[in-house]
Amino acid sequence: MRLKNWIKRRGPGIRGRLWKMMKCIRSGEQLRLDDMASSSESLATRDYSASYSSRAAEADIKIENSNIEEAESSLRESGYLNYEEARALLGRLEYQKGNIEGALHVFEGIDIASVTSKIKVSLSRRCEQNRRRSQSDAAPPMSMHAISLLLEAIYLKVKSLQGLGRFEEAARSCKVILDTLESALPEGIPESVSADWKLQDILNKAVELLPELWKLAGSLQEAILSYRRALLYNWNLNMETTAKLEKEFAVLLLYSGCDASPPNLRSQVDGSFVPRNNIEEAILLLLVLLRKFAAKKIEWDPTIMYHLSFALSVSGEQRALAHQVEELLPGIMERRERYSILALCYHGEGEQMIALNLLRNLLNNRENPDCVLELLLASKICATNMICVDEGITYACKALSKLRGRCDQMASVANCLQGILLSTQSRSVASDTERISKQSEALEVLESAEKMMRERDPSIIFHLSLENAEQRKLDTALYHAKQLLKLEAGSNVRSYILVARILSAQKQFVDAENVINAALDQTGKWDQGELLRTKAKLQIAQGKLQNAIDTYIYLLAIVQVRTKSSGSGKKLPKNRRNSDRSLEMETWHDLANLYTSLSKWRDAEACLSKSKIISPYSASRWHSTGLLYEAKGLHQEALKAFRAALDVEPNHVPSLVSTACILRRLGSQSIPIIRSFLTDAIRLDKTNHSAWYNLGLLYKTDVSASALEAVECFEAAAFLEDSAPVESFRLRPDLEAHFAP
């Protein structure tokens, strides 16, 4: 009815012609140019003065006007308006009026297979003619105007399907447009074709729309393939469109959770980089965008840097991120943001002093009064360096003063960091009174941090449990550690290790081993290293020496497989590589010490030769070598090995104690010299029961010392041995960084 009313309004002149168009649509016949009026006056303007004068109808008249002009253009170029072209025009009319279902009904009457076949032939011939500069070949079956008209019809059909929520059908129809053009023009869109602005506009829209449709349909793999196709084929897209596609593709790769297969590049240059996974491909795209910005081809988009920061961080490439930030032109990023990102990057790479110096430069600037996050990061870095502990406490106190009355959750984090710093400080003070005071203050601050938590923070509970354990308040420590396990739902290895070591300090070795076994069942093989090492120590404590040997061998096999896999192309983060090397080396030393205790000298020597390959200058290796010599009765060689360990690491506590024991046994040194080794060991580690015991033996044999001093040393040794874990409660710094939430 709508079409009939429109025909009546247009008058008798146009009515006859459009009835012929409708007849053409129904019959499939072609409408010849001879049947149309020979006047050069436009069909769109003819009889226009006889149309409506009301303003309400102006929009409809414009739509009708453009469609009739389109019809006239097709008629003038090809001599006829065929069935598909007529449907394309009428479908567009319905779409422009908002009748999506009606438009789709009209578009579905077009024979897409036939139309696309003709388009391919026409584009191929036209491209060949332009290449040969000859017109002698047969003319293409379709004009450029007809090609644009029909491709637009397919595109509007896609939009109609999208509007009706039929996303997969829409994506497949949209793909037809790109398949057609790519098949007809395999070497890319030539300038002669892209010069047709309407065709290029349809092409740009289709290229952008296809991956979005696949995403809406839930087919992420197809979306990935569509993005790659859009970026690798020469569609003659403008720079803004290409940049938009690159950014959207990078976002999809980073956050979709879909594991994309590596791209298959047809024109790959030998030796050039091919991304192996989502992260690498996203990083490559984002770096391309940064280069375009540096060349002033696109406007600056800060989200590019945000996504690149995430991608490089999760791939362990913090140093690469730092280099990208440093290469940005001045003024692009604010000074505070630049320094903060750089500090985080170098902190993640283990370059703590570089990170701290960057933060010092930022915090000493009066233009940055409200740098709470930077103060917290600076205090955290200071907690890992005994020299900077006082500075770290100052930063934590400043953060607390700025957070007063603002954010309890961040204040609890500041209190936690202050507690960690006070605990670190307590291990370096000489006076027992001051040490006890610092330990009490640290525990008080950590308890205050726990009370201030609005949401339970695993890190705060972990350090509260750890501090109680180190102060030998084992029941309280175990309570908090179990709470931590529940809070994290068993997702963090270090919580299992802490619970097991606290249980071992309570001499509940079977329960501790059960905890480790439960953790092993829920942990991937690559994260089982420290769990297995703790399990072996628990087996040794129970006298299961052969089981411990088997556990160590299994652990070494896992580490070596991981090392080989990283060597075959799977790059590991730097901190993880260092952690694996340290774990492997310490495992060889543990196994060597175990073989030494069983008098298996050759096996022990083989283990030590393996560790020497990893690190020839290791204090721990020299100490294990000294223990081997001592077990063989070679005391002088043992003394040389212990001294070599102290040359490498002067504060190596086990070597200090072992040196004192050998010197006391040989009787070649005075008692004050031997005592200095033991007192240094106690100063560095006040919970070392072996140092206290040997100091008691020294006082017992020293006629100038009182018996009370020896008794006090023996009492301290007995108390510490009864509450000693199989391994230190505190993880190594590299493991602490790896397992921290």
Side-chain angles (χ1 to χ4, degrees):
M1 291 299 294
R2 185 183 302 168
L3 185 60
K4 290 181 179 179
N5 292 335
W6 177 76
I7 293 171
K8 290 178 181 178
R9 291 199 306 268
R10 300 301 294 176
I14 196 69
R15 187 181 297 118
R17 300 182 187 94
L18 284 179
W19 273 119
K20 290 182 180 180
M21 288 172 61
M22 292 300 298
K23 183 179 178 181
C24 165
I25 291 173
R26 294 190 185 98
S27 64
E29 297 174 358
Q30 294 176 342
L31 183 64
R32 294 290 171 183
L33 183 62
D34 297 337
D35 295 333
M36 302 297 289
S38 58
S39 172
S40 61
E41 185 184 356
S42 170
L43 287 173
T45 57
R46 190 181 305 153
D47 299 329
Y48 180 79
S49 58
S51 64
Y52 301 103
S53 60
S54 66
R55 294 183 179 180
E58 286 183 1
D60 285 344
I61 293 172
K62 289 180 180 179
I63 293 172
E64 295 159 0
N65 186 27
S66 63
N67 280 280
I68 296 172
E69 287 179 348
E70 194 80 33
E72 183 188 34
S73 180
S74 292
L75 288 167
R76 290 188 183 282
E77 283 194 22
S78 60
Y80 58 84
L81 186 68
N82 65 21
Y83 177 80
E84 283 81 10
E85 291 171 22
R87 274 196 173 271
L89 286 169
L90 294 175
R92 189 200 336 179
L93 178 64
E94 293 298 317
Y95 182 84
Q96 289 172 337
K97 289 182 175 181
N99 183 12
I100 295 177
E101 292 184 357
L104 182 60
H105 179 72
V106 174
F107 290 135
E108 285 177 341
I110 298 175
D111 185 353
I112 300 295
S114 172
V115 165
T116 53
S117 177
K118 292 177 183 178
I119 291 174
K120 289 177 187 178
V121 173
S122 299
L123 288 174
S124 298
R125 288 184 183 176
R126 188 173 296 275
C127 185
E128 190 67 26
Q129 285 178 1
N130 291 334
R131 196 179 296 118
R132 295 178 183 177
R133 298 281 191 262
S134 171
Q135 301 296 327
S136 59
D137 295 335
M142 297 179 71
S143 66
M144 285 301 298
H145 185 83
I147 292 172
S148 299
L149 178 63
L150 291 169
L151 288 177
E152 183 192 34
I154 300 174
Y155 176 75
L156 292 178
K157 177 184 176 182
V158 170
K159 294 295 291 181
S160 300
L161 289 167
Q162 181 187 10
L164 295 172
R166 294 158 63 178
F167 302 120
E168 186 170 350
E169 291 180 60
R172 296 192 186 284
S173 296
C174 189
K175 188 171 180 290
V176 168
I177 300 175
L178 304 187
D179 288 343
T180 301
L181 291 170
E182 191 172 6
S183 175
L185 307 168
E187 296 181 2
I189 308 298
E191 291 184 4
S192 59
V193 174
S194 62
D196 186 329
W197 66 268
K198 185 172 182 180
L199 178 59
Q200 187 65 47
D201 182 56
I202 295 167
L203 181 57
N204 289 352
K205 291 176 180 178
V207 170
E208 283 190 72
L209 183 59
L210 182 57
E212 292 298 326
L213 291 171
W214 284 124
K215 285 191 282 185
L216 290 170
S219 301
L220 298 182
Q221 286 289 353
E222 292 291 342
I224 289 169
L225 294 175
S226 298
Y227 275 121
R228 286 175 179 165
R229 182 183 194 180
L231 296 172
L232 294 174
Y233 185 76
N234 179 23
W235 300 108
N236 274 349
L237 304 177
N238 57 46
M239 192 60 67
E240 290 76 13
T241 302
T242 304
K244 181 174 178 286
L245 287 168
E246 287 168 343
K247 178 184 165 184
E248 289 175 353
F249 187 22
V251 170
L252 178 68
L253 290 168
L254 288 175
Y255 311 115
S256 67
C258 177
D259 189 15
S261 57
N264 182 18
L265 305 182
R266 291 174 295 181
S267 57
Q268 182 63 35
V269 180
D270 291 339
S272 59
F273 174 75
V274 178
R276 296 167 295 185
N277 51 49
N278 288 30
I279 300 294
E280 288 188 357
E281 192 168 2
I283 290 171
L284 181 62
L285 289 164
L286 294 167
L287 289 176
V288 168
L289 287 169
L290 279 183
R291 294 296 175 269
K292 288 181 179 179
F293 165 72
K296 298 182 179 180
K297 294 180 179 179
I298 60 173
E299 296 292 326
W300 172 245
D301 182 355
T303 60
I304 294 173
M305 205 66 213
Y306 301 154
H307 297 310
L308 184 61
S309 299
F310 172 78
L312 290 172
S313 297
V314 298
S315 59
E317 295 291 347
Q318 288 90 347
R319 189 177 294 276
L321 175 59
H323 290 164
Q324 293 301 322
V325 173
E326 290 166 346
E327 288 177 1
L328 288 177
L329 296 173
I332 297 301
M333 187 178 288
E334 291 184 2
R335 183 175 182 271
R336 174 182 171 181
E337 185 180 8
R338 180 190 292 263
Y339 274 57
S340 297
I341 292 176
L342 289 174
L344 285 168
C345 290
Y346 286 113
H347 171 59
E349 282 290 313
E351 302 284 353
Q352 307 298 351
M353 291 311 299
I354 297 177
L356 185 57
N357 286 332
L358 286 164
L359 292 170
R360 283 169 177 164
N361 289 336
L362 182 63
L363 296 172
N364 291 335
N365 191 335
R366 295 181 180 179
E367 296 178 0
N368 302 300
D370 190 23
C371 295
V372 176
L373 294 176
E374 289 78 5
L375 286 167
L376 294 176
L377 178 58
S379 62
K380 180 181 179 181
I381 294 172
C382 290
T384 63
N385 191 335
M386 194 71 73
I387 300 172
C388 305
V389 169
D390 293 338
E391 183 183 1
I393 293 173
T394 302
Y395 290 138
C397 290
K398 284 184 179 179
L400 282 169
S401 65
K402 292 179 181 295
L403 289 167
R404 188 170 290 113
R406 290 175 56 186
C407 178
D408 289 344
Q409 191 69 24
M410 290 185 69
S412 69
V413 173
N415 271 317
C416 177
L417 290 170
Q418 188 178 15
I420 295 169
L421 287 158
L422 289 168
S423 176
T424 305
Q425 192 180 50
S426 70
R427 295 195 291 273
S428 63
V429 296
S431 167
D432 287 343
T433 305
E434 189 178 359
R435 175 176 58 83
I436 294 170
S437 174
K438 292 291 184 184
Q439 285 180 337
S440 299
E441 189 178 355
L443 203 54
E444 183 181 343
V445 172
L446 287 168
E447 288 171 351
S448 175
E450 184 195 23
K451 292 174 183 176
M452 293 180 69
M453 290 188 301
R454 299 179 67 180
E455 296 180 1
R456 295 180 67 77
D457 187 336
S459 180
I460 293 173
I461 299 174
F462 173 81
H463 285 100
L464 182 59
S465 175
L466 179 61
E467 187 61 29
N468 276 289
E470 291 192 324
Q471 295 186 29
R472 296 303 193 265
K473 299 177 181 179
L474 298 179
D475 290 337
T476 306
L478 184 60
Y479 168 78
H480 288 298
K482 288 181 176 179
Q483 291 295 313
L484 179 62
L485 271 182
K486 291 180 182 178
L487 178 62
E488 294 178 330
S491 62
N492 198 322
V493 169
R494 72 171 184 173
S495 303
Y496 282 109
I497 294 172
L498 181 59
V499 171
R501 291 180 181 179
I502 293 171
L503 288 170
S504 73
Q506 294 179 328
K507 309 310 174 190
Q508 301 180 46
F509 299 120
V510 175
D511 291 341
E513 190 173 355
N514 289 335
V515 169
I516 294 296
N517 288 334
L520 289 170
D521 290 340
Q522 301 182 45
T523 307
K525 287 189 181 297
W526 299 145
D527 291 326
Q528 290 182 355
E530 198 63 24
L531 289 168
L532 289 168
R533 188 163 179 246
T534 302
K535 180 177 180 177
K537 293 289 183 72
L538 290 168
Q539 289 170 333
I540 293 171
Q542 297 173 76
K544 302 175 183 178
L545 301 186
Q546 188 56 51
N547 291 345
I549 291 173
D550 294 340
T551 302
Y552 279 131
I553 292 172
Y554 179 63
L555 166 57
L556 288 168
I558 289 177
V559 173
Q560 288 175 4
V561 169
R562 184 172 182 85
T563 302
K564 288 181 181 179
S565 67
S566 64
S568 63
K570 296 180 180 178
K571 187 176 180 182
L572 298 174
K574 180 182 176 181
N575 61 346
R576 186 55 190 262
R577 295 195 300 271
N578 293 339
S579 175
D580 284 352
R581 286 171 59 85
S582 177
L583 176 62
E584 183 180 4
M585 184 178 66
E586 293 301 327
T587 302
W588 283 120
H589 297 161
D590 290 345
L591 193 54
N593 295 340
L594 183 53
Y595 283 132
T596 297
S597 68
L598 295 171
S599 301
K600 295 184 177 182
W601 316 131
R602 290 185 179 179
D603 290 334
E605 289 169 355
C607 293
L608 291 172
S609 65
K610 292 285 187 180
S611 76
K612 186 176 181 180
I613 297 172
I614 300 171
S615 177
Y617 305 105
S618 165
S620 178
R621 187 183 69 82
W622 280 114
H623 180 255
S624 295
T625 304
L627 293 177
L628 177 60
Y629 284 135
E630 186 180 5
K632 289 180 176 182
L634 305 173
H635 299 300
Q636 289 295 340
E637 286 78 1
L639 183 60
K640 289 178 182 178
F642 294 141
R643 284 177 171 169
L646 292 174
D647 288 339
V648 174
E649 188 179 333
N651 292 334
H652 191 250
V653 172
S655 296
L656 287 169
V657 176
S658 296
T659 301
C661 293
I662 289 290
L663 290 174
R664 187 173 60 83
R665 184 173 298 174
L666 292 173
S668 59
Q669 295 291 340
S670 63
I671 289 178
I673 293 177
I674 299 172
R675 185 170 60 240
S676 68
F677 281 104
L678 293 171
T679 52
D680 283 348
I682 291 171
R683 176 179 57 81
L684 293 166
D685 182 9
K686 291 180 173 61
T687 61
N688 191 301
H689 61 85
S690 180
W692 284 105
Y693 175 73
N694 283 284
L695 186 60
L697 291 176
L698 188 64
Y699 282 138
K700 184 179 177 181
T701 58
D702 185 5
V703 294
S704 63
S706 66
L708 182 60
E709 288 179 309
V711 169
E712 288 177 349
C713 289
F714 288 138
E715 286 179 347
F719 170 75
L720 291 170
E721 186 176 17
D722 287 342
S723 59
V726 293
E727 187 76 1
S728 172
F729 294 116
R730 193 175 294 274
L731 292 173
R732 299 194 314 272
D734 56 336
L735 286 172
E736 180 67 31
H738 175 64
F739 291 125

